């Protein structure tokens, strides 16, 4: 389910992580392994 890549550097080397917001919710974000930026998936 990959799209155009990192919006900052354009790299296709990224992965999806889960961030626990509170006791009942998870946020899914992408992290670029090249420039270390995060963005919403």
């Amino acid at each position: 389910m990959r799209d155009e890549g990192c919006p900052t550097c354009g790299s296709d080397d990224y992965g999806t992580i889960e961030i626990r917001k509170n006791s009942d919710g998870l946020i899914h974000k992408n992290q670029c392994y090249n420039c270390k930026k995060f963005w919403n998936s």
Side-chain angles (χ1 to χ4, degrees):
M1 201 164 82
R2 298 198 176 222
D3 51 344
E4 72 283 347
C6 176
T8 303
C9 70
S11 175
D12 288 331
D13 188 18
Y14 66 89
T16 303
I17 62 167
E18 292 181 348
I19 301 171
R20 185 170 296 280
K21 185 174 182 183
N22 51 33
S23 61
D24 59 359
L26 286 174
I27 300 173
H28 292 86
K29 288 197 172 218
N30 293 324
Q31 181 187 19
C32 180
Y33 300 129
N34 186 40
C35 69
K36 309 298 187 211
K37 300 278 184 172
F38 290 94
W39 72 97
N40 291 328
S41 52

